[in-house]
Each structure stands twice: as structure tokens, then as C-alpha cells.
Amino acid sequence: MPHVFLPDLRLHYSEQGPKDGPVLVLAHALGADLSIWDAVCARLPANLRVIRYDHRGHGASDVPKAPYAMGAMIRDAEGLLDHLKVKDAAFCGLSVGGLVAQGLAVKRLDLIRTLILSNTAARIGHESLWEKRIAAAESSSKAALVQETLERWFPRQDLSQPRIQTVKAVLDRTALDGWIGTMHAIKGTDFYTPTSGLRLSTLGIASSDDASTPPDLVRETAALVPGSQFHLIRRAGHLSCVDQPEEFATTVTDFLRSTGHMS
Ligand SMILES: O=C(O)CC1=CCC(=O)O1
């Protein structure tokens, strides 16, 4: 799988579809990696060029020492798209990936033509929440961090289900520096004002059982961008792309067709 060599780290990414196809970029959640999109990617139209990447500190990207800044995470996405000479992409970010999506759209509107904000918000949680989570991650075991994350992301679900065990294996592999470093980036991020200034086609996707970024929060975030659309996925928790990949892929595809991003 390829890496792009950015000034301060190597970023891992993958591509599928024709090089001259309309581009969809997928950015994953905290502690995860690009594999959380596997089931969605298998259901996307073949004429899309789909680019996924691992945030710094995650997957097969390099793991700088914590803490990270949101500005650095946005620069990573910017560096990847510049390296691939991509313009006018649709950018779909889930949770912290959605923060990167908003920040990149604000910074480089030439790169992003269409925004998909999945299970995310202009601000995710309060500083005190992230301080508590960082302190807990620093003092307790990695197993405890993974377990409480799974319980929060997949509420009332049997965690032994194969698709959840696959996510668990990813979380188990994620470096603690990557996880904690990214929590610091989320803690300091509030995009309410910059996102309110965005003018581009935008879709918010929320899940009925997402306690981390509840439907009303996602709806309010998408509504910061005039003319935005909103879709609620039922029977899904924070990782809507894992819980309901068919509906996720259909929702994204229908939206991209409705905006003229793809045929
Ligand atoms: O861990 C959570 O509850 C939610 C979350 C925040 C950022 C992210 O990617 O997931």
C-alpha cells in the first residue's frame, strides 16, 4: 500500500477506481484506520476514484509523539491531495475525520467541492471531557480504552459480532501516542464559526444510536452550511459505515449524483 512522504511524516493511503474518475476521499474516526471503510467501498460505484488514508498516528501512517494539533492533521490531508494532484474532491469524514473535512474545506476550497460530514460536529465534546479521556488513557490499560470505546460506539450490541471484533482488532493495534495525540487535536477544535462561512454542497449523516455525536448535533452542524442535506441512519451507532454500510454507500452515492459530482 502506498505512502506519501510529507515534510514531517509518511502518510499511508489507498486508492480504488479509475484515475480520471470523480474523487471521493474517506477520513476515519479516532483510534481506527482506513479499513473501517472496507464494507462501504465494496458497495460504491466502480466509476468513483476512492482515496482513503490513515490519519497520523493511526494504521500504517507514521506515529509522531503526542500531542497533535488539528492544523497538522488538516495539513496531512492537504499534502496527500496535493501529492495526488486532486482538485474538486468530495470529502467524507467520520467523527474526527469530519473535523479534518471541515478544516480542509475552510483552508483549501480548491481541493474540496463537496462535503460529507458523518457522525461528526463542528465541536466534538467539551475540553473537560477530552481532558478526562486523555488522563484515563494515560493511566489505565490499552485494553480498558478499547473496551470502553467499543461499548460507546456500539451501544446495546453484542460486541462479539465479527464486524465489531474486526474494529476491535484495529483499535488494539492503534498506537497509544496516535490515539492520545489525536484526542488533544479534538480537544482544541471548535469549527463552529469557520464552518458557518462555508458555501459548498454538504450532507450530514447521523445514526440513531450515536451517543458521541447525536443526530441533532450532526443536523445542527450540517445546517451551518446553507442548503445542506441531512440523512439519519437507523440501527447504527457512532461507526455508521460499519453498522450499515449498504445504506451509507447508497446515501453517499445518491448525494454525489444529486450534486452532479458523479453520473
Ligand atoms: O470516541 C468517541 O466517543 C467519539 C469520537 C470522537 C472523535 C472520534 O473520532 O470519535
Side-chain angles (χ1 to χ4, degrees), residues 49-115:
R49 178 184 180 191
V50 183
I51 299 169
R52 313 184 237 172
Y53 73 98
D54 291 329
H55 295 298
R56 59 173 52 215
H58 291 74
S61 289
D62 284 347
V63 184
K65 283 251 159 288
Y68 306 160
M70 184 52 62
M73 295 184 69
I74 292 166
R75 269 198 307 282
D76 294 343
E78 183 183 11
L80 172 64
L81 297 192
D82 279 340
H83 168 77
L84 296 174
K85 299 191 176 6
V86 165
K87 297 261 186 218
D88 296 327
F91 197 112
C92 173
L94 190 146
S95 201
V96 69
L99 291 174
V100 172
Q102 292 167 72
L104 185 59
V106 168
K107 186 176 183 190
R108 292 283 307 273
L109 204 49
D110 60 314
L111 298 182
I112 302 188
R113 188 223 271 225
T114 305
L115 200 54

Side-chain angles (χ1 to χ4, degrees), residues 14-177:
S14 78
E15 284 190 88
Q16 72 180 51
K19 285 267 187 254
D20 60 351
V23 173
L24 172 66
V25 184
L26 300 170
H28 64 77
L30 173 67
D33 70 14
L34 55 71
S35 71
I36 66 162
W37 300 108
D38 283 354
V40 168
C41 285
R43 292 164 169 85
L44 288 171
N47 64 337
L48 261 186
R49 178 184 180 191
V50 183
I51 299 169
R52 313 184 237 172
Y53 73 98
D54 291 329
H55 295 298
R56 59 173 52 215
H58 291 74
S61 289
D62 284 347
V63 184
K65 283 251 159 288
Y68 306 160
M70 184 52 62
M73 295 184 69
I74 292 166
R75 269 198 307 282
D76 294 343
E78 183 183 11
L80 172 64
L81 297 192
D82 279 340
H83 168 77
L84 296 174
K85 299 191 176 6
V86 165
K87 297 261 186 218
D88 296 327
F91 197 112
C92 173
L94 190 146
S95 201
V96 69
L99 291 174
V100 172
Q102 292 167 72
L104 185 59
V106 168
K107 186 176 183 190
R108 292 283 307 273
L109 204 49
D110 60 314
L111 298 182
I112 302 188
R113 188 223 271 225
T114 305
L115 200 54
I116 301 172
L117 302 175
S118 169
N119 303 83
T120 192
R123 175 183 183 85
I124 304 177
H126 288 282
E127 242 177 277
S128 57
L129 171 95
W130 290 107
E131 271 157 15
K132 270 191 218 137
R133 285 196 189 164
I134 290 164
E138 284 169 344
S139 61
S140 65
S141 69
K142 177 80 185 305
L145 175 64
V146 169
Q147 184 63 24
E148 55 128 39
T149 301
L150 291 174
E151 286 169 8
R152 196 168 57 246
W153 286 3
F154 301 99
R156 297 183 299 285
Q157 295 202 51
D158 172 2
L159 298 183
S160 69
Q161 293 175 82
R163 74 174 197 295
I164 300 180
Q165 285 297 305
T166 301
V167 173
K168 179 180 182 304
V170 171
L171 300 183
D172 281 339
R173 283 196 300 270
T174 301
L176 208 49
D177 257 316

